[in-house]
Amino acid sequence: MNSIANVLQLRDLEKMANDTFESEEAASGWLRRPHPMLDGESPLEAAKTSFGTRRVKDILVALKYGGVV
């Protein structure tokens, strides 16, 4: 993946996280903390691959709307 696509993808995840959590601070913390559903990687680490990005987005949607991941 080229660097422009990667930056846009990360901005998209950041926007989704900000929309999901009560504050930008909470969203930023969530993106940087290891997550058990991502094999202990942080969402930002997992987002280095397209599969990881999809998983992070799925988790954010589930958190926001109460779905199952």
Side-chain angles (χ1 to χ4, degrees):
M1 179 183 320
N2 68 41
S3 62
I4 293 173
N6 195 25
V7 168
L8 293 175
Q9 196 168 2
L10 291 176
R11 287 183 65 172
D12 187 39
L13 285 178
E14 184 177 59
K15 182 181 179 335
M16 285 183 73
N18 287 339
D19 289 345
T20 300
F21 294 93
E22 294 179 11
S23 69
E24 288 184 20
E25 223 176 278
S28 179
W30 184 85
L31 286 168
R32 288 168 174 71
R33 272 192 301 279
H35 195 285
M37 293 182 73
L38 300 170
D39 296 327
E41 289 186 320
S42 73
L44 289 178
E45 291 170 331
K48 291 179 181 176
T49 67
S50 58
F51 176 76
T53 299
R54 182 75 253 153
R55 288 292 295 145
V56 173
K57 287 182 177 184
D58 289 345
I59 293 168
L60 284 168
V61 168
L63 287 169
K64 185 170 184 172
Y65 299 106
V68 177
V69 182

